[in-house]
Amino acid sequence: MREVDAHVAEATALVSTLAPVTLPLREAFGTVAASDQEAQVPSPPFDNSAMDGYAVRAAEVVGATAAHPVRLPVAGESAAGAAPATLPPASAWRIMTGAPVPVGADAIVPVEHTDGALDTVSVLAASESGRHVRRAGEDALPGDVVLSRGEVLTATRIAALAAVGVAQVPTVSAPRVAVLATGDELVDAGARLGPGQIHDSNAVLLEGLVREAGAVPVLLERVGDRPEQLLERLSGVDADLIVTTGGVSVGAYDVVKAALADRGVEFSAVAMQPGKPQGLGRFEGTPIACLPGNPVSVLVSFAVIVAPMIRRLRGLDTADAGETAVAASGWRTPQGRRQFMPVRFVSRGTVAPATAGGSGSHLIASLARAQALADVAAGVDQVEPGATVRIVRWDG
Ligand SMILES: Nc1nc2c(c(=O)[nH]1)N[C@H]1C(S)=C(S)[C@@H](COP(=O)(O)OP(=O)(O)OC[C@H]3O[C@@H](n4cnc5c(N)ncnc54)[C@H](O)[C@@H]3O)O[C@H]1N2
Ligand code: MOO
């Protein structure tokens, strides 16, 4: 049997990071930055008021109290969006939040600390230089790196770029991942089950997992156990990666294996449970991963093998996050195969098996509770309560 790490290394070697494209910010959500991005303008771009109130010279309101207000003529007013003004000596300037601080002013007195008058204002509290002034560049200066290469463009990062004057960004777009389920026994969700039939849950599982991993699913119409039909379905597919499920084992009707074994896909047994039978290679030049049909095996194979391929396509680091958790309850593990047990978090940092009946690879309904996988080494045959386990996730 092939070691898991060797198989994953072969899988990731099949793909390379997609060529960068430059996208306007609004189209860049979820893509990965292909280069560092620097601020083009300072943030804030100019000194501005943090409060609705009056811009003053702090030195001119020294000692102001409610009992002994300092009275200053109001020389003008500025709302957000106004051009910068100049504060004449011995006066105040009515100002709104976000408006430029007038030249000469060095403090803002909030309106609550005044009588709010429009002609001559009574200042009821002293202020100090710099109070309630948001300084130009205190957040970022031109040339500061706001986004680093390899970072995902999240809402906050896109907002930061917008603020510092970056309108478009070179990014690696979401890869297109084609998904194909196989099997004569499959019918769509909602269809009445005939004898021997089951609902196709792998196609929707993979479609969602691909999305959660930051890629775009391309759902191909399911095929039965006929190799010619499968070849026809895959021929000419426009995708960066193809993922199939089912038909890779040693059964008499293992359609994927029958169709692809002598067409550039290598089938092997990987020392993992579940997910032992696997295929990897290229179909018409496109990287392809052929996963087994059991639904839990699909989830595990995706998390362990396909998710790192998608990460590489996206230009993300494929290294493991190194997350661990403590087992709240124990479970048995198979001999000689590294186990990936679907687990749920019972509390922060503590996990228990998500599937009631152990690690059976058909327990799809129990997967609704799974939040991660616990990775248990091949040499371990029992996870004891309180043991530390490595955690594998499947999202991007
Ligand atoms: N004699 C042996 N039999 C099996 C072995 C073995 O080593 N020797 N390995 C077992 C293991 S482990 C796995 S995993 C499966 C893999 O089988 P296949 O990849 O060929 O998958 P199928 O036979 O097509 O399906 C397996 C199972 O999953 C169900 N299935 C398939 N597609 C879907 C779908 N889209 N949605 C829901 N469920 C699906 C299918 O009905 C089967 O029950 O082989 C073992 N056998
Ligand atoms: O390897 Mo199979 O995926 O155990 O059920």
Side-chain angles (χ1 to χ4, degrees):
M1 270 195 290
R2 177 185 276 189
E3 286 307 316
V4 177
D5 289 345
H7 190 76
V8 173
E10 189 162 313
T12 52
L14 277 175
V15 292
S16 36
T17 300
L18 301 180
V21 289
T22 297
L23 292 178
L25 283 188
R26 295 202 35 217
E27 291 170 27
F29 181 84
T31 62
V32 177
S35 61
D36 291 357
Q37 293 300 309
E38 297 174 355
Q40 301 298 306
V41 299
S43 168
F46 49 86
D47 290 359
N48 69 89
S49 176
M51 290 284 187
D52 298 324
Y54 295 84
V56 297
R57 289 179 181 82
E60 291 177 355
V61 296
V62 170
T65 62
H68 301 285
V70 170
R71 287 168 57 77
L72 294 169
V74 179
E77 73 166 36
S78 300
T86 299
L87 179 69
S91 61
W93 194 274
R94 192 164 175 249
I95 194 164
M96 305 302 147
T97 305
V101 174
V103 177
D106 65 349
I108 307 295
V109 179
V111 68
E112 298 87 329
H113 296 171
T114 72
D115 65 355
L118 301 182
D119 44 5
T120 297
V121 65
S122 293
V123 175
L124 310 177
S127 191
E128 75 239 28
S129 185
R131 190 89 180 110
H132 301 309
V133 175
R134 307 195 287 207
R135 287 279 169 222
E138 69 180 359
D139 184 27
L141 289 169
D144 283 355
V145 173
V146 173
L147 177 76
S148 298
R149 179 170 178 269
E151 288 184 329
V152 178
L153 279 110
T154 56
T156 49
R157 289 171 180 154
I158 290 175
L161 292 177
V164 299
V166 177
Q168 49 185 28
V169 59
T171 71
V172 179
S173 296
R176 289 164 55 82
V177 179
V179 167
L180 178 65
T182 68
D184 276 344
E185 73 280 28
L186 303 172
V187 296
D188 286 338
R192 195 185 159 84
L193 292 178
Q197 292 185 326
I198 60 166
H199 292 119
D200 177 2
S201 54
N202 287 348
V204 287
L205 172 62
L206 277 172
E207 197 180 7
L209 290 172
V210 164
R211 273 189 217 287
E212 287 179 6
V216 176
V218 179
L219 192 57
L220 304 179
E221 191 187 337
R222 187 175 56 236
V223 295
D225 292 332
R226 288 197 301 120
E228 327 76 67
Q229 194 190 13
L230 181 129
L231 291 172
E232 199 184 309
R233 190 73 82 248
L234 289 183
S235 186
V237 162
D238 177 19
D240 302 301
L241 171 64
I242 301 168
V243 181
T244 67
T245 76
V248 296
S249 190
V250 292
Y253 304 98
D254 280 336
V255 60
V256 175
K257 202 174 189 175
L260 301 179
D262 56 2
R263 285 188 174 81
V265 179
E266 190 189 346
F267 291 87
S268 47
V270 179
M272 60 196 269
Q273 194 280 322
K276 183 175 70 166
Q278 296 285 342
L280 265 187
R282 288 182 187 278
F283 180 81
E284 295 179 350
T286 304
I288 183 167
C290 302
L291 316 185
N294 283 312
V296 182
S297 313
V298 170
L299 172 71
V300 167
S301 306
F302 184 91
V304 175
I305 300 161
V306 179
M309 297 175 90
I310 293 178
R311 288 182 68 80
R312 172 155 297 172
L313 283 165
R314 296 179 70 200
L316 293 169
D317 193 357
T318 54
D320 177 60
E323 190 183 354
T324 59
V326 172
S329 53
W331 67 84
R332 291 201 59 73
T333 77
Q335 279 284 314
R337 285 203 274 164
R338 190 162 151 190
Q339 187 198 39
F340 294 90
M341 171 65 101
V343 290
R344 64 194 168 86
F345 284 89
V346 291
S347 66
R348 206 185 155 100
T350 312
V351 294
T355 51
S359 66
S361 56
H362 59 295
L363 301 171
I364 177 64
S366 308
L367 274 195
R369 289 186 291 272
Q371 295 170 297
L373 303 174
D375 173 1
V376 184
V380 177
D381 55 12
Q382 167 80 33
V383 174
E384 302 293 349
T388 296
V389 288
R390 213 175 68 88
I391 292 295
V392 178
R393 294 181 186 262
W394 49 80
D395 52 5

